[in-house]
Amino acid sequence: MAFIEVKPEKLNVNIFNMIKNWMVLTAGDPDDCNSMIVSWGGMGIMWGRPAATVYVRNSRYTLDFMNKDEYFTLSILPETYKSEMGYLGSHSGRDGNKYAKTNLHPISFGPAVGIQEAEYVFVMRKLYNARMDRRDFKDDVIYEEWYSGKDEGNDHNLFIGEILTVYKKK
């Protein structure tokens, strides 16, 4: 599949719909990577640079890759890949090669790995990460709804990445 490079500031898409319809977060290299689904995040300007935020739970295998790698991607796939994205989001890469069970293929995009079947691939360099701490929540209802009970102790890690390049499928 052929892609063209688009400068982030020239991108003309609805970011809210991209995030709402799931994005595939991938970190690692083509021979050793993992992908997961993210539906929380944002895109904008941070420290004068085009940037994206993503959130990864402590329990996710992808967190190991995010912590060790400098680059990661967000791939936006067509709706026709919804079941494959569902598989990526409901199975752990610890248990085997998730790509072998789907019609998705990780490929290099410069220093990072994205998904070949994507319509857009955002290549990012990690600028910041921090674990979200229970003590920092200002609204207890949010914490109770998203983290207490079954998810207690399985907080999210916030990553801010500079969007270096956007690749758009031709």
Side-chain angles (χ1 to χ4, degrees):
M1 297 287 169
F3 288 85
I4 59 171
E5 191 173 324
V6 179
K7 295 289 182 197
E9 59 275 7
K10 300 290 183 184
L11 193 62
N12 188 16
V13 294
N14 185 323
I15 297 298
F16 291 101
N17 285 340
M18 283 184 166
I19 294 169
K20 180 179 71 173
N21 293 329
W22 295 350
M23 297 180 292
V24 178
L25 168 66
T26 305
D29 62 64
D31 296 323
D32 187 25
C33 62
N34 199 65
S35 295
M36 62 175 271
I37 298 307
V38 292
S39 59
W40 292 3
M43 292 187 184
I45 303 297
M46 187 70 178
W47 302 303
R49 303 170 187 189
T53 59
V54 294
Y55 304 85
V56 181
R57 283 193 184 272
N58 291 330
S59 61
R60 298 305 296 253
Y61 182 54
T62 306
L63 182 61
D64 296 343
F65 294 89
M66 290 292 288
N67 284 331
K68 74 178 171 82
D69 294 322
E70 183 178 359
Y71 299 94
F72 64 98
T73 63
L74 289 173
S75 297
I76 312 301
L77 280 73
E79 285 285 325
T80 54
Y81 289 99
K82 197 75 164 177
S83 65
E84 282 89 346
M85 290 188 290
Y87 187 87
L88 293 178
S90 61
H91 292 79
S92 175
R94 287 186 189 98
D95 301 330
N97 182 347
K98 295 195 287 187
Y99 310 109
K101 303 281 185 177
T102 68
N103 292 318
L104 302 176
H105 304 91
I107 62 168
S108 292
F109 285 89
V113 177
I115 303 298
Q116 179 176 333
E117 292 74 18
E119 292 177 325
Y120 294 92
V121 177
F122 293 78
V123 175
M124 286 174 275
R125 184 174 63 88
K126 191 169 49 176
L127 297 176
Y128 177 84
N129 67 284
R131 183 169 178 189
M132 295 172 65
D133 190 303
R134 164 68 175 117
R135 296 170 295 198
D136 294 327
F137 279 85
K138 306 305 177 211
D139 185 335
D140 287 337
V141 174
I142 291 173
Y143 190 85
E144 293 301 319
E145 181 178 346
W146 292 97
Y147 298 101
S148 67
K150 67 177 173 36
D151 288 330
E152 198 157 1
N154 192 15
D155 298 339
H156 281 90
N157 297 272
L158 160 70
F159 291 88
I160 300 174
E162 176 182 9
I163 302 171
L164 300 174
T165 307
V166 180
Y167 290 93
K168 179 182 178 184
K169 186 169 282 179
K170 285 187 178 180

